[in-house]
Amino acid sequence: MTEPAVADRPAGERIPAIEAVDVSRTYQLDGVSVEALRGVSLTVQPGDYVALVGPSGSGKSTLMHLLGGLDRPTGGRLVIGGRDVNALAPPEMATLRNETIGFVFQAFHLLPRTSAVENVALPLVYRGVSARQRRERAAAMLGRVGLGHRLDHRPNQMSGGEQQRVAIARALVTEPTVLLADEPTGNLDSVTGAAVLELLEQLNAESGVALVMVTHDQEVAARAHRRITMRDGVVVADSADPRSAHDRPPSVDHGRPATLVPAPSAEPRSASGSGPGHPSGGSGGAAGATGRLPREVERPGGTG
Amino acid sequence: MRVAEAWRVALDALRANRLRSALTMLGVIIGVASVVLLVAIGTGTKQKVEQQVEGLGSNLLLVVPGRIEVGNAPVVSPLTLKDVDAVTRVVGDPDRVAVTVASGATARAGARSDFTTVQGVLETTPAVFTRSLARGRYLTGTDVDTSRRVAVLGDSVARALFPDRDPLGQQVALAGVRFRVIGVFAPLGQSLGVDRDDEVHVPVTAAQRLWGTQRVDGIAVKAPDRERIDELGERIVAELNRRHPDTEFSAVTQQQILGVLGDILGVLTGVLAAIAGISLLVGGVGVSNIMLVSVRERTREIGLRKAVGARPRDIGVQFLLEAVLLTTIGGLTGMALGVGTALLVDALSPIPAAITWWSLALAFGVSAVVGIVFGVVPAQRAGRLDPVVALRTE
């Protein structure tokens, strides 16, 4: 373990916001293990603006959940805000999320029948902030996202763009070090989406909160300072962010080379009775015939 | 999360589903209301019986031949007024000793008649049995000593025979023999379905002559104090046994009568409360069921709350409070309903009902406990939900 068990905020520039080393995540589904992530290493520095791209099923969402402390890795080391998540009990994980992470979801996830200001204040409830202070801070945050005039509106009285702004305000009201946005513009039309994106970028630039955004949209991804591309549970490309390249350890800059060993679950399925000439399941060589494997390693600079 | 905050969240959740919350509470309301009502009826009945037994007079000792047990045939009394004199010597105070020789008889006055109980008594009866007169006077020592044919009527008898006349000074025929009415008792009312005003008191000597007997059915003694009442009873029984070696005698106190009656009524009340308690239990199962539905329905909300920093405990407490709120609000409503119904029953029907603080405390406590017990499983389930899975739920 590295020594800073608790993050020292004043020295935040030195300590990575999130550090993942060879992180893997395996699910058990009906007795079959599915490897969603197989050895991902990356570092998010305070103030980063990262786009996480990749096809469906590439492990982006799993990685987001891990980076946000909603889930734990089954292998490797994950340090969020200076704390190793493997050493944390569920209540400590909750506190860690509350203090260091802000989430923005594609579907907004606002509480219905609850005013904008109360939605924004929700994370502060779990921090034990008094009701008056919560309202003050939530109202101020709503002002920053341009909704100072809609404090007491409920989600069903607001447009999609406004709802996402409320969700952004809720994510930032705790002054987290990392803002994780999962397809934040996915449910919005292009104009509204662009405005929300601009807001996120502006907040990232102003407050220094690291912005990690999962997106399908290549245009959106192109605006990020750094792009991490995933496929089949590994990072296949990680463009360096020129702004912070000088103080990032080079060893974790790129994902380590993806292995070409196929997952056991990737074997072709053949009806057991009908293939007498095919006595045993294929080994590594047979996997190539499926057309799904092998993966290619995409080098930085290959996109955009 | 602060407790006040948790209460607010739980209340909001209940308010969001008013109809469902109300229906869920209904099970608890009915359970608690029936517990309160049935315990009130049981307690009321017990209190009324106790009042009536105590209303006989305080520190009373009833001496009768035979053993007082369920199933024993009544014994023909061997007691006479001589035995009464012996008992009086034991007691030491003639004013504390009363007797009765009773028999059914038809009372007539003019064209009206009423079948009633005629009691031959001593002049000490009002002092021993705490009876008061509405009008006229009671029997005197002289009435008893001279077997004077005078009678004191119970309220029912007086109404039956003299509905529109003042009975004082009127003649009344008891078993064909004429007596003069000298007094009317103040009404006592019903006791365990028996009209206690349906009786006529005459001097014991006159009654014995009327029926041609020397016997006395029973002796009642008003003990000077509660402490020595048992010892006094033993001495009286010993004296009577000495005089009548062939007969057993019993001396029972009000406390003993109350004890037996109280036990019976207590068991009855307990059984009623237990039956009502079952419906409260069923109400609790309903709460558990609805809370499970609520957890499932709000899976996404749980996921979101966890994402922004709610600990498993925060979520668990939130749902537990919701369940407890359901049952306690239901419990309070049920208490109000039970008390209201009990008061109505007491006022409008012959069934007595008395509210006791312990039955209210018990009903409220049980409903809160039901909320906790039946809320724990849904609350734990909510607290343990995986936030990743919860957020993905549609």
Side-chain angles (χ1 to χ4, degrees):
Chain A
M1 298 286 130
T2 44
E3 50 290 0
V6 180
D8 276 3
R9 279 296 146 69
E13 284 301 320
R14 290 279 117 197
I15 301 168
I18 302 174
E19 189 175 15
V21 181
D22 198 20
V23 162
S24 60
R25 180 69 172 91
T26 307
Y27 293 103
Q28 297 293 327
L29 283 181
D30 301 323
V32 181
S33 41
V34 178
E35 289 183 279
L37 285 184
R38 22 184 130 193
V40 170
S41 299
L42 62 86
T43 302
V44 177
Q45 296 291 350
D48 269 3
Y49 177 11
V50 184
L52 195 55
V53 294
S56 297
S58 60
K60 312 189 291 292
S61 293
T62 305
L63 183 58
M64 280 293 275
H65 294 144
L66 287 174
L67 297 183
L70 287 170
D71 196 8
R72 308 158 183 276
T74 45
R77 203 164 75 88
L78 176 62
V79 180
I80 300 172
R83 306 197 66 179
D84 188 328
V85 298
N86 283 329
L88 298 180
E92 294 171 310
M93 290 277 278
T95 307
L96 180 68
R97 288 195 292 271
N98 184 264
E99 288 172 353
T100 54
I101 308 290
F103 289 98
V104 175
F105 303 97
Q106 180 176 3
F108 320 141
H109 283 315
L110 299 179
L111 296 187
R113 299 182 299 271
T114 306
S115 69
V117 70
E118 279 179 85
N119 261 297
V120 172
L122 187 64
L124 300 177
V125 167
Y126 296 107
R127 212 180 251 202
V129 176
S130 75
R132 225 189 54 197
Q133 273 201 33
R134 286 204 303 264
R135 193 179 160 87
E136 277 172 16
R137 287 172 65 176
M141 201 60 229
L142 277 168
R144 280 186 69 187
V145 301
L147 290 176
H149 60 297
R150 317 216 69 174
L151 299 186
D152 294 310
H153 283 65
R154 296 179 175 202
N156 58 3
Q157 298 167 324
M158 289 187 281
S159 70
E162 284 174 324
Q163 290 187 51
Q164 194 60 301
R165 283 168 187 267
V166 173
I168 291 168
R170 178 182 63 194
L172 291 177
V173 76
T174 55
E175 294 168 357
T177 41
V178 181
L179 181 61
L180 294 175
D182 191 354
E183 301 273 8
T185 59
N187 276 16
L188 304 173
D189 63 69
S190 57
V191 176
T192 319
V196 164
L197 193 62
E198 266 167 40
L199 174 66
L200 286 170
E201 287 170 350
Q202 179 199 333
L203 292 165
N204 165 245
E206 280 175 5
S207 67
V209 62
L211 173 60
V212 178
M213 185 163 58
V214 168
T215 183
H216 272 111
D217 190 330
Q218 286 302 323
E219 277 180 47
V220 171
R223 295 169 61 151
H225 301 143
R226 174 180 167 199
R227 276 175 308 286
I228 298 175
T229 309
M230 293 193 67
R231 192 174 299 164
D232 295 318
V234 290
V235 172
V236 291
D238 187 349
S239 77
D241 172 4
R243 282 194 312 173
S244 57
H246 56 279
D247 55 11
R248 191 180 314 127
S251 62
V252 289
D253 198 351
H254 302 278
R256 61 179 198 135
T259 54
L260 290 173
V261 179
S265 58
E267 287 184 11
R269 278 202 164 196
S270 59
S272 53
S274 64
H278 193 343
S280 65
S283 58
T290 65
R292 185 169 164 263
L293 296 167
R295 287 171 295 277
E296 266 179 354
V297 178
E298 211 175 334
R299 298 317 308 174
T303 51
Chain B
M1 183 156 60
R2 294 172 182 205
V3 176
E5 187 67 28
W7 282 112
R8 202 184 56 79
V9 171
L11 255 181
D12 281 351
L14 295 187
R15 231 181 269 146
N17 279 299
R18 278 170 216 267
L19 181 62
R20 184 208 281 175
S21 303
L23 287 174
T24 311
M25 280 179 201
L26 198 57
V28 179
I29 291 172
I30 292 171
V32 169
S34 43
V35 168
V36 170
L37 176 63
L38 291 178
V39 169
I41 288 175
T43 312
T45 307
K46 195 171 160 184
Q47 280 181 0
K48 192 163 186 188
V49 168
E50 283 172 355
Q51 269 172 19
Q52 285 164 349
V53 173
E54 300 218 323
L56 292 173
S58 52
N59 298 342
L60 209 58
L61 198 59
L62 301 173
V63 183
V64 289
R67 188 181 289 170
I68 296 191
E69 267 177 21
V70 180
N72 271 17
V75 179
V76 175
S77 174
L79 295 174
T80 65
L81 286 174
K82 285 197 174 68
D83 296 309
V84 176
D85 289 341
V87 168
T88 305
R89 278 195 296 278
V90 171
V91 175
D93 181 355
D95 288 342
R96 294 186 174 277
V97 180
V99 305
T100 177
V101 52
S103 184
T106 303
R108 281 182 199 284
R112 299 179 192 276
S113 69
D114 182 34
F115 189 80
T116 184
T117 304
V118 174
Q119 302 237 27
V121 295
L122 294 174
E123 73 280 6
T124 52
T125 300
V128 174
F129 286 104
T130 322
R131 294 292 299 268
S132 54
L133 293 185
R135 43 193 328 183
R137 66 168 178 88
Y138 197 67
L139 310 172
T140 62
T142 317
D143 292 333
V144 174
D145 291 345
T146 60
S147 314
R148 199 174 281 164
R149 296 206 299 273
V150 289
V152 177
L153 304 185
D155 187 62
S156 304
V157 181
R159 282 171 197 279
L161 297 181
F162 305 102
D164 43 16
R165 276 192 292 165
D166 184 356
L168 286 188
Q170 301 291 331
Q171 298 287 329
V172 60
L174 299 174
V177 178
R178 295 208 293 186
F179 284 71
R180 189 165 54 87
V181 178
I182 56 169
V184 176
F185 282 118
L188 284 175
Q190 301 248 325
S191 168
L192 296 175
V194 176
D195 182 1
R196 294 177 67 199
D197 297 318
D198 185 17
E199 60 177 6
V200 175
H201 283 201
V202 299
V204 61
T205 46
Q208 286 178 334
R209 187 174 294 174
L210 188 63
W211 296 312
T213 179
Q214 295 294 308
R215 91 186 140 89
V216 169
D217 290 336
I219 303 170
V221 175
K222 187 181 175 70
D225 53 59
R226 187 166 289 225
E227 286 69 40
R228 276 180 296 173
I229 194 164
D230 290 328
E231 183 229 324
L232 184 62
E234 282 164 25
R235 276 165 52 210
I236 290 169
V237 167
E239 171 68 9
L240 292 176
N241 277 332
R242 196 180 58 75
R243 297 171 63 90
H244 300 278
D246 300 336
T247 313
E248 260 190 292
F249 294 93
S250 314
V252 291
T253 62
Q254 281 159 303
Q255 273 61 45
Q256 287 167 324
I257 297 172
L258 281 178
V260 173
L261 286 174
D263 285 353
I264 295 169
L265 291 170
V267 168
L268 207 68
T269 306
V271 169
L272 289 177
I275 292 171
I278 291 173
S279 67
L280 187 54
L281 204 67
V282 173
V285 174
V287 169
S288 199
N289 197 10
I290 282 302
M291 289 312 297
L292 285 174
V293 171
S294 182
V295 169
R296 170 161 293 195
E297 219 178 53
R298 283 151 62 196
T299 302
R300 262 175 61 167
E301 177 191 327
I302 294 166
L304 185 271
R305 285 179 181 275
K306 286 197 156 187
V308 301
R311 292 162 296 175
R313 219 181 114 253
D314 294 325
I315 301 292
V317 164
Q318 181 190 328
F319 279 89
L320 192 60
L321 279 183
E322 212 176 302
V324 170
L325 261 183
L326 268 177
T327 59
T328 47
I329 293 175
L332 286 173
T333 314
M335 271 162 65
L337 190 68
V339 168
T341 315
L343 293 179
L344 273 181
V345 163
D346 195 50
L348 303 179
S349 79
I351 302 167
I355 307 295
T356 47
W357 67 267
W358 67 263
S359 74
L360 296 184
L362 185 76
F364 184 75
V366 165
S367 53
V369 167
V370 160
I372 292 170
V373 167
F374 288 97
V376 157
V377 170
Q380 276 183 345
R381 188 171 285 196
R384 286 184 192 147
L385 269 181
D386 180 350
V388 172
V389 176
L391 281 169
R392 216 182 281 141
T393 312
E394 282 313 310

